C-alpha cells in the first residue's frame, strides 16, 4: 500500500510550536516520520514539545528559540538547522498573534505589531528558508497558516489588524507560489476556523459561543484536535506536487455562507 503522506527523512520547521495548533501540526508530521524543528520564543515550552515528539513518535526533534520578527535570529536559525541536518524540506509558518478591539480604538502599535508578527515575520522565515535551503535544493513545501478571517470579515470579535495581516498572508502565499514554483517549491495556505486550543477553550466552550457556532457554522461546532492534521500533511507531502498557491479553509464551512 502506498503511504502518500510518508515524510521519512525529511526535515520540517514549525514556527509558533510551543502550544496549540503548531504542536498539533508538528505531531501530525512527526507521525509520518518527519524530523521536527519546533520554533518559538519560549525555550522551556519548546523543549517539552521536542521531548514529547521524540517519545511519542521516535523522531528527532531539535528545538530552537527564535523571535520571527528578528531578521538576524531567523537567518541564524535557518543556518543552524542546515548545519545540523543539511536540509529543510518543509516550513509551516504558524506563529501569530491577535489584537481584539473595535477598529476605532485600535492603536498604531497594535496594528503594527500584528503586521510585524503575522505577515512580516512569516515572510522573513519563508525568505530565509527559501534562499538558504529550498531554492538550492530545488524542492520545498511552504505552508502559511492564515485564517478564515483572512478571507472574510466577522461580527463577533472585532479584530481589524488580524484580518488585515491574515489577508496579507493569503496574497503573500500566492505571490511566493508564483515566484518560487520554478524552483520546485510549492507555497500554500491553510485558513483555520475556530479551533479548540488552550487559549480558546474558555471562549469556545461558553454558552454564547455555542449558540453563535450553531447559527454561523454549517457544521454547528468548532474544530477539534486532529481536524487540521490531514490538510497540513497533504500540503507538506510530495503528493501535493501540483498544488500551488491555494488557500484551504478548514472551518466547518464558515466561509461558504
Amino acid at each position: 500500500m502506498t503511504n502518500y503522506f510518508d515524510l521519512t527523512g525529511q526535515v520540517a520547521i514549525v514556527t509558533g510550536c510551543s502550544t496549540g495548533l503548531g504542536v498539533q501540526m508538528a505531531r501530525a508530521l512527526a507521525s509520518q516520520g518527519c524530523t521536527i524543528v519546533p520554533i518559538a520564543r519560549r525555550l522551556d515550552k519548546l523543549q517539552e514539545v521536542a521531548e514529547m515528539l521524540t517519545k511519542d513518535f521516535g523522531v528527532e526533534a531539535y528545538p530552537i528559540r527564535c523571535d520571527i520578527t528578528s531578521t538576524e535570529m531567523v537567518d541564524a536559525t535557518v543556518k543552524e538547522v542546515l548545519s545540523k541536518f543539511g536540509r529543510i524540506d518543509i516550513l509551516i509558518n504558524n506563529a501569530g498573534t491577535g489584537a481584539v478591539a473595535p477598529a476605532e480604538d485600535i492603536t498604531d502599535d497594535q496594528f503594527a505589531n500584528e503586521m510585524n508578527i503575522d505577515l512580516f515575520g512569516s515572510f522573513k522565515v519563508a525568505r530565509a528558508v527559501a534562499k538558504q535551503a529550498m531554492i538550492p535544493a530545488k524542492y520545498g513545501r511552504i505552508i502559511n497558516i492564515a485564517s478564515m478571517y483572512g478571507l472574510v470579515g466577522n461580527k463577533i470579535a472585532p479584530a481589524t489588524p488580524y484580518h488585515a495581516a491574515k489577508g496579507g498572508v493569503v496574497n503573500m502565499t500566492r505571490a511566493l507560489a508564483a515566484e518560487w514554483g520554478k524552483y520546485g517549491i510549492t507555497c500554500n495556505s491553510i485558513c483555520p476556523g475556530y479551533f479548540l486550543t488552550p487559549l480558546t477553550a474558555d471562549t469556545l466552550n461558553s454558552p454564547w459561543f455555542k449558540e453563535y457556532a450553531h447559527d454561523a457554522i454549517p457544521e454547528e461546532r468548532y474544530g477539534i484536535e486532529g481536524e487540521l492534521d490531514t490538510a497540513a500533511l497533504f500540503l507538506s507531502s510530495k503528493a501535493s506536487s501540483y498544488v500551488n498557491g491555494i488557500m484551504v479553509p478548514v472551518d466547518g464551512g464558515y466561509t461558504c455562507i
Side-chain angles (χ1 to χ4, degrees):
M1 179 183 295
T2 301
N3 178 2
Y4 290 103
F5 293 163
D6 182 24
L7 301 174
T8 303
Q10 297 193 39
V11 176
I13 288 177
V14 183
T15 73
C17 196
S18 59
T19 187
L21 297 182
V23 175
Q24 291 179 30
M25 290 183 286
R27 286 181 59 85
L29 269 59
S31 75
Q32 298 301 308
C34 192
T35 296
I36 306 295
V37 180
I39 286 176
R41 291 177 296 180
R42 294 178 292 176
L43 186 57
D44 57 334
K45 293 289 185 181
L46 291 174
Q47 289 170 335
E48 292 174 8
V49 169
E51 291 170 5
M52 174 269 294
L53 293 171
T54 299
K55 177 177 179 292
D56 290 356
F57 303 105
V59 301
E60 187 168 2
Y62 186 70
I64 302 177
R65 182 187 177 276
C66 179
D67 181 344
I68 66 166
T69 65
S70 166
T71 300
E72 292 74 19
M73 289 187 75
V74 168
D75 289 344
T77 294
V78 173
K79 184 177 181 180
E80 182 177 347
V81 176
L82 285 173
S83 177
K84 171 75 173 175
F85 297 109
R87 61 193 294 166
I88 300 170
D89 303 279
I90 301 160
L91 166 63
I92 298 185
N93 254 329
N94 172 69
T97 186
V100 177
E104 63 271 23
D105 295 326
I106 289 287
T107 66
D108 291 355
D109 286 344
Q110 284 177 309
F111 200 98
N113 185 61
E114 198 84 40
M115 289 293 182
N116 200 30
I117 296 173
D118 289 21
L119 181 54
F120 199 8
S122 294
F123 173 73
K124 288 179 180 182
V125 182
R127 176 180 62 189
V129 168
K131 187 169 185 176
Q132 294 188 46
M134 292 181 176
I135 291 175
K138 297 293 188 289
Y139 179 85
R141 296 285 182 267
I142 297 173
I143 300 99
N144 294 320
I145 307 304
S147 169
M148 66 181 187
Y149 280 1
L151 303 173
V152 296
N154 91 91
K155 294 184 68 175
I156 189 173
T160 295
Y162 184 78
H163 284 267
K166 292 301 188 181
V169 170
V170 165
N171 216 38
M172 179 182 73
T173 297
R174 295 188 183 105
L176 296 181
E179 284 198 49
W180 293 341
K182 64 186 177 184
Y183 299 118
I185 300 169
T186 63
C187 188
N188 296 292
S189 179
I190 297 175
C191 298
Y194 300 112
F195 267 85
L196 188 67
T197 71
L199 292 178
T200 64
D202 288 346
T203 297
L204 268 53
N205 286 320
S206 64
W208 68 266
F209 181 84
K210 289 182 178 180
E211 181 179 352
Y212 170 77
H214 183 274
D215 294 337
I217 304 170
E219 292 196 25
E220 299 182 350
R221 63 176 179 84
Y222 55 71
I224 60 175
E225 184 171 348
E227 290 188 310
L228 204 61
D229 291 2
T230 48
L233 281 173
F234 171 62
L235 295 177
S236 296
S237 73
K238 292 183 178 180
S240 62
S241 57
Y242 206 55
V243 179
N244 198 19
I246 69 163
M247 283 69 244
V248 183
V250 184
D251 62 5
Y254 182 96
T255 53
C256 79
I257 57 173

